[in-house]
Amino acid sequence: MCLLTRFDIRRLLLPMLALLLGISPLVSADEATDRAAIEATAQAWTKAFNARDVDALLALTTDDVVLMDPRISPVSGRAAVRRAIPKALASATGRVTNATKEIVIAGDVAWRISAFEHEPANIDTLSRGQSLEIWKRVDGGWKIHRQMSSSILDQPKLFPRRPPSEPVMNAPGDEGKKLY
């Protein structure tokens, strides 16, 4: 025989539901604040990159940052980044812009997917690419922990037509078919 009646169950569930509904706006507000902070830091990174400001770039990273960029060998740690980033900055003359495609936050870790364009100073063609970043919350703020970028979208042999602005995922059973 059930010790709890429907009335008892309702008396237990209704306060829990009210508590959950009362907490959920706080979670959303915190997530919106975190998203805005990550976006602001990502744009600060772009601004520092365009200004060729190595110190400003390093201030936006964790101590054990790992950068994987097609223009340089992978580097790990701020000291290695300080030595390697001038080479990346020298090869990326002109202006870089980026736009966030996705931010996902899981506690004190987040990831961001972005699309970027690089407009070289003396060349009329744009370079387009994508970036995947892993962010960590450090001292109440967000810093880049891992960053990987690719200009593969510029490879005409791989992508004879312009790829869509959003990825097209294969449906189950469509393994082996082209994504674009």
Side-chain angles (χ1 to χ4, degrees), residues 161-171 174 177-180:
R161 60 191 164 104
R162 185 179 169 118
S165 61
E166 295 295 327
V168 178
M169 305 306 284
N170 284 346
D174 287 348
K177 291 184 179 177
K178 290 185 177 181
L179 291 177
Y180 294 102

Side-chain angles (χ1 to χ4, degrees), residues 58 61-66 76-79 81 138 143-146:
L58 290 173
T61 66
T62 61
D63 291 335
D64 57 343
V65 64
V66 175
S76 181
R78 280 191 178 157
V81 171
V138 177
K143 295 193 177 217
I144 296 173
H145 182 57
R146 303 287 188 261

Side-chain angles (χ1 to χ4, degrees), residues 13-28:
L13 291 179
L14 287 176
M16 285 201 248
L17 182 61
L19 181 63
L20 287 173
L21 291 174
I23 292 173
S24 64
L26 297 177
V27 173
S28 296

Side-chain angles (χ1 to χ4, degrees), residues 31-42 135 140-142:
E31 185 170 326
T33 300
D34 286 339
R35 285 176 182 277
I38 290 169
E39 181 63 28
T41 305
W135 294 72
W142 288 94

